[in-house]
Coordinates of all heavy atoms in Angstrom, one line a residue:
L1 N -7.7 -0.8 -4.6 CA -7.6 -2.1 -3.9 C -8.5 -1.9 -2.6 O -8.4 -0.9 -1.8 CB -6.3 -2.5 -3.4 CG -5.4 -3.1 -4.5 CD1 -3.9 -3.1 -4.1 CD2 -5.9 -4.5 -4.8
S2 N -9.4 -2.8 -2.3 CA -10.1 -2.8 -1.0 C -9.5 -3.7 0.0 O -9.8 -3.6 1.2 CB -11.7 -3.2 -1.3 OG -11.7 -4.5 -1.9
S3 N -8.8 -4.7 -0.5 CA -8.2 -5.6 0.6 C -7.1 -6.5 -0.1 O -7.1 -6.7 -1.4 CB -9.3 -6.6 1.2 OG -9.8 -7.5 0.2
F4 N -6.2 -7.0 0.8 CA -5.2 -8.0 0.4 C -5.3 -9.1 1.5 O -5.4 -8.7 2.7 CB -3.9 -7.5 0.2 CG -2.8 -8.6 0.1 CD1 -2.5 -9.1 -1.1 CD2 -2.3 -9.2 1.3 CE1 -1.4 -10.0 -1.2 CE2 -1.3 -10.1 1.2 CZ -0.9 -10.6 0.0
A5 N -5.3 -10.3 1.1 CA -5.3 -11.4 2.1 C -4.3 -12.5 1.7 O -4.3 -12.9 0.5 CB -6.7 -12.0 2.3
L6 N -3.5 -13.1 2.7 CA -2.8 -14.3 2.4 C -3.4 -15.3 3.2 O -3.4 -15.4 4.5 CB -1.4 -14.0 2.9 CG -0.3 -15.0 2.5 CD1 -0.1 -15.1 1.0 CD2 1.0 -14.7 3.4
I7 N -4.1 -16.3 2.5 CA -5.0 -17.3 3.1 C -4.5 -18.6 2.8 O -4.4 -19.0 1.7 CB -6.4 -17.2 2.6 CG1 -7.1 -15.7 3.0 CG2 -7.3 -18.2 3.4 CD1 -8.3 -15.5 2.3
D8 N -4.0 -19.4 3.8 CA -3.4 -20.7 3.7 C -2.2 -20.5 2.6 O -2.0 -21.4 1.9 CB -4.4 -21.8 3.1 CG -5.4 -22.1 4.2 OD1 -5.0 -22.0 5.4 OD2 -6.5 -22.6 3.9
G9 N -1.5 -19.4 2.8 CA -0.3 -19.3 1.8 C -0.7 -18.7 0.4 O 0.3 -18.5 -0.4
V10 N -1.9 -18.5 0.1 CA -2.3 -18.1 -1.3 C -2.7 -16.6 -1.2 O -3.5 -16.2 -0.5 CB -3.4 -18.9 -1.8 CG1 -3.9 -18.3 -3.2 CG2 -3.1 -20.4 -1.9
P11 N -2.0 -15.7 -2.1 CA -2.3 -14.4 -1.9 C -3.6 -14.0 -2.7 O -3.9 -14.6 -3.8 CB -1.1 -13.6 -2.6 CG -0.7 -14.6 -3.5 CD -0.9 -15.9 -2.8
R12 N -4.5 -13.1 -2.2 CA -5.6 -12.8 -2.9 C -5.9 -11.2 -2.8 O -5.7 -10.6 -1.8 CB -6.8 -13.4 -2.2 CG -8.2 -13.1 -2.9 CD -9.4 -13.6 -2.0 NE -9.6 -12.6 -0.9 CZ -10.3 -12.8 0.2 NH1 -11.0 -14.0 0.4 NH2 -10.5 -11.9 1.1
W13 N -6.1 -10.6 -3.9 CA -6.4 -9.2 -4.0 C -7.9 -9.0 -4.4 O -8.4 -9.8 -5.1 CB -5.5 -8.5 -5.0 CG -4.0 -8.5 -4.7 CD1 -3.3 -7.4 -4.3 CD2 -3.2 -9.5 -5.0 NE1 -2.1 -7.7 -4.2 CE2 -1.9 -9.1 -4.6 CE3 -3.3 -10.9 -5.5 CZ2 -0.7 -9.8 -4.8 CZ3 -2.1 -11.6 -5.6 CH2 -0.9 -11.1 -5.3
R14 N -8.5 -7.9 -3.8 CA -9.7 -7.5 -4.3 C -9.8 -5.9 -4.6 O -9.3 -5.2 -3.7 CB -10.9 -7.7 -3.3 CG -11.2 -9.2 -3.3 CD -12.4 -9.6 -2.3 NE -12.8 -11.0 -2.5 CZ -13.7 -11.6 -1.7 NH1 -14.3 -10.9 -0.8 NH2 -13.9 -12.9 -1.8
W15 N -10.2 -5.6 -5.8 CA -10.5 -4.2 -6.2 C -11.9 -3.8 -6.2 O -12.6 -4.6 -6.6 CB -9.8 -4.0 -7.6 CG -8.3 -4.2 -7.8 CD1 -7.4 -3.1 -7.7 CD2 -7.6 -5.3 -8.1 NE1 -6.1 -3.6 -8.0 CE2 -6.2 -5.0 -8.3 CE3 -8.0 -6.7 -8.4 CZ2 -5.2 -5.9 -8.6 CZ3 -7.0 -7.6 -8.7 CH2 -5.7 -7.2 -8.8
R16 N -12.2 -2.6 -5.8 CA -13.6 -2.1 -5.9 C -13.6 -1.0 -6.9 O -12.9 0.0 -6.6 CB -14.1 -1.9 -4.5 CG -15.6 -1.2 -4.5 CD -16.2 -1.0 -3.2 NE -16.6 -2.2 -2.5 CZ -17.6 -2.8 -2.8 NH1 -18.5 -2.4 -3.7 NH2 -17.9 -3.9 -2.1
I17 N -14.4 -1.0 -7.8 CA -14.7 0.1 -8.7 C -16.3 0.3 -8.7 O -17.0 -0.2 -9.4 CB -14.2 -0.2 -10.2 CG1 -12.8 -0.7 -10.1 CG2 -14.4 1.0 -11.1 CD1 -12.7 -2.3 -10.1
G18 N -16.5 1.2 -7.8 CA -18.0 1.4 -7.5 C -18.6 0.1 -6.9 O -18.2 -0.4 -6.0
D19 N -19.7 -0.4 -7.6 CA -20.2 -1.6 -7.2 C -19.7 -2.8 -7.7 O -20.0 -4.0 -7.4 CB -21.8 -1.6 -7.5 CG -22.0 -1.7 -9.1 OD1 -21.1 -1.3 -9.8 OD2 -23.1 -2.1 -9.5
V20 N -18.6 -2.7 -8.6 CA -18.0 -3.8 -9.2 C -16.7 -4.2 -8.2 O -15.9 -3.4 -7.9 CB -17.4 -3.4 -10.6 CG1 -16.5 -4.6 -11.1 CG2 -18.5 -3.2 -11.5
V21 N -16.6 -5.6 -7.9 CA -15.6 -6.0 -7.2 C -14.9 -7.2 -7.9 O -15.6 -8.1 -8.4 CB -16.1 -6.6 -5.8 CG1 -14.9 -7.2 -5.1 CG2 -16.7 -5.5 -4.9
I22 N -13.6 -7.1 -8.1 CA -12.8 -8.0 -8.8 C -11.8 -8.7 -8.0 O -11.2 -8.0 -7.1 CB -12.0 -7.4 -10.0 CG1 -13.0 -6.6 -10.9 CG2 -11.2 -8.5 -10.9 CD1 -14.1 -7.5 -11.6
E23 N -11.6 -10.0 -8.0 CA -10.7 -10.7 -7.2 C -9.6 -11.4 -8.1 O -9.8 -11.9 -9.2 CB -11.4 -11.7 -6.4 CG -10.6 -12.6 -5.4 CD -11.3 -13.6 -4.7 OE1 -12.0 -13.3 -3.6 OE2 -11.5 -14.8 -5.2
R24 N -8.4 -11.4 -7.5 CA -7.3 -12.0 -8.2 C -6.6 -13.0 -7.1 O -6.5 -12.6 -5.9 CB -6.2 -11.2 -8.7 CG -4.8 -11.8 -8.9 CD -3.8 -10.9 -9.4 NE -3.7 -10.6 -10.7 CZ -2.7 -10.1 -11.5 NH1 -1.7 -9.8 -10.8 NH2 -2.8 -9.9 -12.8
E25 N -6.4 -14.2 -7.5 CA -5.5 -15.2 -6.7 C -4.5 -15.8 -7.6 O -4.6 -16.1 -8.8 CB -6.4 -16.3 -6.2 CG -7.4 -15.8 -5.1 CD -8.2 -17.0 -4.5 OE1 -8.9 -17.8 -5.2 OE2 -8.2 -17.1 -3.3
I26 N -3.3 -16.0 -7.0 CA -2.1 -16.7 -7.6 C -1.7 -17.7 -6.8 O -1.7 -17.8 -5.7 CB -1.1 -15.5 -7.8 CG1 -1.4 -14.3 -8.4 CG2 0.2 -16.2 -8.5 CD1 -0.5 -13.3 -8.4
A27 N -1.3 -18.8 -7.6 CA -0.7 -20.1 -7.0 C 0.3 -20.7 -7.9 O 0.1 -20.7 -9.1 CB -1.8 -21.1 -6.6
T28 N 1.4 -21.1 -7.3 CA 2.4 -21.9 -8.1 C 1.9 -23.3 -8.0 O 1.1 -23.8 -7.2 CB 3.8 -21.7 -7.5 OG1 3.7 -21.9 -6.1 CG2 4.3 -20.4 -7.9
V29 N 2.5 -24.2 -8.9 CA 2.2 -25.7 -9.0 C 3.4 -26.3 -8.4 O 4.6 -26.2 -8.9 CB 2.0 -26.1 -10.4 CG1 1.8 -27.7 -10.5 CG2 0.9 -25.3 -11.1
H30 N 3.2 -27.0 -7.2 CA 4.4 -27.5 -6.4 C 5.0 -28.7 -7.3 O 4.3 -29.6 -7.8 CB 3.8 -28.2 -5.1 CG 4.9 -28.5 -4.2 ND1 5.7 -27.7 -3.5 CD2 5.6 -29.7 -3.9 CE1 6.7 -28.2 -2.8 NE2 6.5 -29.6 -3.1
G31 N 6.3 -28.5 -7.4 CA 7.0 -29.7 -8.1 C 7.4 -29.4 -9.5 O 8.1 -30.1 -10.1
R32 N 7.0 -28.2 -10.0 CA 7.3 -27.8 -11.4 C 7.4 -26.3 -11.5 O 6.6 -25.6 -10.7 CB 6.5 -28.5 -12.4 CG 5.1 -28.0 -12.3 CD 4.1 -28.7 -13.3 NE 4.5 -28.4 -14.7 CZ 3.8 -28.7 -15.8 NH1 2.7 -29.4 -15.8 NH2 4.3 -28.2 -16.9
P33 N 8.0 -25.7 -12.5 CA 8.0 -24.2 -12.6 C 6.8 -23.8 -13.4 O 6.8 -23.8 -14.6 CB 9.3 -24.0 -13.5 CG 9.6 -25.2 -14.2 CD 9.0 -26.3 -13.3
A34 N 5.7 -23.5 -12.7 CA 4.4 -23.2 -13.2 C 3.6 -22.2 -12.3 O 3.7 -22.5 -11.0 CB 3.6 -24.4 -13.5
V35 N 2.8 -21.4 -12.8 CA 2.0 -20.5 -12.0 C 0.6 -20.3 -12.7 O 0.5 -20.4 -13.9 CB 2.7 -19.1 -11.8 CG1 2.7 -18.4 -13.1 CG2 1.9 -18.3 -10.8
S36 N -0.4 -20.2 -11.8 CA -1.8 -19.9 -12.2 C -2.2 -18.6 -11.7 O -2.0 -18.3 -10.5 CB -2.6 -21.0 -11.8 OG -4.0 -20.7 -11.8

């Protein structure tokens, strides 16, 4: 992991593997049991 950020309530991770950087974001869907 190179960083974690909580931006406007949304968590974001970034991993660095050499020159490769991968990002993950997660969000629920307000008003129903669902996640992206």
